[in-house]
Amino acid sequence: MKKALITGITGQDGSYLADLLLSKGYEVHGMVRRSSTETFERIGHIKNDIQLVQADLLDQLSLIKVMEAVQPDEIYNLAAMSFVPTSWSQPVLTGEFTAIGVTRMLEAVRQVCPTARFYQASSSEMFGKVKEIPQTENTPFHPRSPYGVAKAYGHYITVNYRESYDLFAVSGILFNHESPRRGKEFVTRKITDGVAQIKLGMKDKLMLGNLDAERDWGFAGDYVEAMWRMLQQDTPDDFVVATGQTHSVRRFCELAFKRAGLHWEDHVRIDPDLVRPAEVDQLLGDPAKAKAVLGWAQQVDFEGLVNMMVDADLERYKNVKG
């Protein structure tokens, strides 16, 4: 039985990845921080099937002890300060978790379990002010947020450890991926949660920022499959994971409100304070390499994703009201 260690297991991606690995017969260990606000809602359905271990990306010794205790075959580093807008208000902490935290993880792997396979969660936010459309594994980075800068560091330090210490270390450059488990601070979930509340008469308006921003949106459940496939290859390499299609926030709104039988123009209002200091206008990934080498392909299309999220939020609020 293979053993996997997932950092960030309580997050959207961590919970879907844990589901996937359990279905494949893995022994799954999830790393969590000791926190008074930690939420285990996303992994509540599997809490008896996984083992949780306490450690912190800011504490090197705790990471070493976890590696020694678990002795994992595969390590998925999904933990980060992951909300882009917060990275402007907390840029130093973002750097500590999302950049230097990766180095601490890699050092622990190198010292304790150098034969383990390591996955680093890179991000399309590294492309930022894009140099070409679509973006591939070879597109230069120009991050436009402290989060994007930190992710670029994490990406390159993973490459560096692979080349310097012969570790099986890979980075998945994942474009935006959403689900009913997405945090409500993210625009997609903010929209679907707002739609559900408006539909059920709990509120009337939804405040948003830049409706023209375009993203390549996929389903998180599909994307964790690509993470796993990267660690099953003969040689370590980096991959863009995306749908190859882009949609605007406005289009997301249209579909979400339509799913609930509403017109988005009646309810959406623009709040200038929600517009980023430096916007990333169009992120569009080219998944050709992932399809060719990994045999990976998305299963849920854009409209299916929006509908899935709206339906889940409507069901959630109906259950609360009921």
Side-chain angles (χ1 to χ4, degrees), residues 66-318:
V66 163
M67 298 297 175
E68 289 174 341
V70 176
Q71 291 292 325
D73 299 295
E74 296 174 4
I75 299 154
Y76 297 86
N77 186 39
L78 310 185
M81 203 303 295
S82 62
F83 186 47
V84 175
T86 303
S87 73
W88 274 285
S89 59
Q90 298 181 355
V92 176
L93 187 64
T94 298
E96 284 286 351
F97 273 117
T98 309
I100 304 301
V102 185
T103 314
R104 295 191 187 101
M105 284 290 294
L106 286 163
E107 263 301 292
V109 172
R110 184 179 73 84
Q111 291 179 37
V112 179
C113 46
T115 60
R117 298 189 166 203
F118 180 85
Y119 172 87
Q120 165 60 18
S122 287
S123 168
S124 60
E125 288 285 335
M126 301 186 304
F127 295 120
K129 192 174 183 179
V130 297
K131 306 298 185 189
E132 61 183 2
I133 298 173
Q135 294 91 52
T136 72
E137 291 79 6
N138 299 315
T139 302
F141 299 147
H142 187 148
R144 297 268 280 173
S145 67
Y147 171 80
V149 172
K151 277 293 186 183
Y153 176 101
H155 180 86
Y156 280 127
I157 200 68
T158 301
V159 173
N160 190 262
Y161 268 66
R162 177 169 74 220
E163 296 176 351
S164 301
Y165 299 116
D166 199 29
L167 295 182
F168 194 108
V170 306
S171 287
I173 307 173
L174 270 57
F175 280 66
N176 293 64
H177 46 289
E178 318 297 318
S179 76
R181 300 181 192 176
R182 192 55 140 157
K184 292 180 184 179
E185 68 272 23
F186 292 87
V187 67
T188 51
R189 183 72 196 292
K190 183 178 180 180
I191 292 169
T192 62
D193 182 78
V195 166
Q197 291 193 56
I198 291 168
K199 178 65 175 177
L200 297 174
M202 300 166 69
K203 69 178 192 179
D204 187 54
K205 297 288 183 281
L206 176 62
M207 305 303 294
L208 295 173
N210 181 12
L211 298 183
D212 296 319
E214 294 185 347
R215 294 291 183 272
D216 183 329
W217 275 304
F219 172 49
D222 289 342
Y223 284 33
V224 298
E225 171 83 23
M227 299 178 188
W228 175 78
R229 288 181 179 232
M230 285 179 217
L231 292 193
Q232 313 314 309
Q233 302 305 302
D234 293 332
T235 54
D237 203 355
D238 306 322
F239 294 87
V240 162
V241 181
T243 70
Q245 297 180 325
T246 187
H247 303 275
S248 67
V249 174
R250 179 178 282 103
R251 180 61 178 156
F252 197 104
C253 278
E254 289 174 0
L255 290 175
F257 278 91
K258 178 185 174 185
R259 181 67 171 179
L262 301 168
H263 296 288
W264 73 274
E265 300 97 330
D266 296 338
H267 304 282
V268 172
R269 300 293 180 266
I270 303 302
D271 181 354
D273 291 340
L274 296 177
V275 178
R276 295 181 182 184
E279 183 57 87
V280 175
D281 294 314
Q282 188 181 51
L283 291 174
L284 175 61
D286 181 356
K289 182 179 172 184
K291 288 183 176 180
V293 178
L294 303 177
W296 175 84
Q298 69 173 113
Q299 303 300 314
V300 179
D301 65 12
F302 179 66
E303 188 165 354
L305 172 65
V306 177
N307 291 345
M308 176 200 301
M309 293 176 67
V310 171
D311 291 350
D313 278 324
L314 279 168
E315 189 66 26
R316 186 178 288 114
Y317 280 112
K318 285 175 182 174

